Amino acid sequence: MASLAHRRPGFRVVATTRSAGWTARAALTTAVLVATTAFAADTLDPNALKRLVHQDCGSCHGLSLKGGLGPDLRPQNLEHYDAEILTGVILDGIPDTAMPPWRPLISEEEAEWIARYLLQQETQ
């Protein structure tokens, strides 16, 4: 790129391809996340949410949810929490721990479903 000292009147410095490409990728990623979340809010798929719990949550909490890096998520260990508290933890994570916020990836309805599922796994 030309330095400001070498600019001609009327000459405009344009963003480099690298920064333009990054901006385009960021915009596309944001659009996909928003569209996915909006679509997911319209249709809850219990089977997909169960898979999410056992695979994605299970990667830290153990595939059988008996604990691992994260604590045991079986109903008998969560019975002192209500669904609202668990929904908040799912959506916003727990600061200064390995529990990440899932808000960018799932809807509030999905988080509520997951919280209820964790509290009543045997009945679902």
Side-chain angles (χ1 to χ4, degrees):
M1 258 194 256
S3 70
L4 293 178
H6 296 99
R7 269 170 85 182
R8 289 178 267 167
F11 179 79
R12 194 174 81 193
V13 176
V14 182
T16 65
T17 304
R18 175 184 273 176
S19 66
W22 181 88
T23 303
R25 283 191 302 272
L28 178 61
T29 300
T30 301
V32 167
L33 284 174
V34 169
T36 302
T37 301
F39 176 73
D42 291 339
T43 58
L44 288 177
D45 181 351
N47 291 325
L49 290 171
K50 284 180 188 178
R51 276 192 307 276
L52 174 88
V53 168
H54 289 278
Q55 291 176 1
D56 291 276
C57 301
S59 66
C60 288
H61 294 278
L63 294 177
S64 60
L65 305 179
K66 293 180 181 178
L69 173 65
D72 188 323
L73 294 181
R74 292 176 296 169
Q76 63 269 28
N77 294 311
L78 298 174
E79 63 190 6
H80 57 283
Y81 295 107
D82 64 19
E84 186 177 331
I85 297 292
L86 292 177
T87 299
V89 169
I90 293 164
L91 289 171
D92 300 320
I94 301 174
D96 301 322
T97 72
M99 179 62 191
W102 285 83
R103 189 177 295 276
L105 303 172
I106 64 174
S107 71
E108 194 162 329
E109 285 180 328
E110 290 168 319
E112 290 169 359
W113 188 95
I114 291 169
R116 287 189 309 273
Y117 174 72
L118 291 174
L119 291 169
Q120 306 169 354
Q121 289 171 55
E122 288 88 31
T123 62
Q124 294 185 8

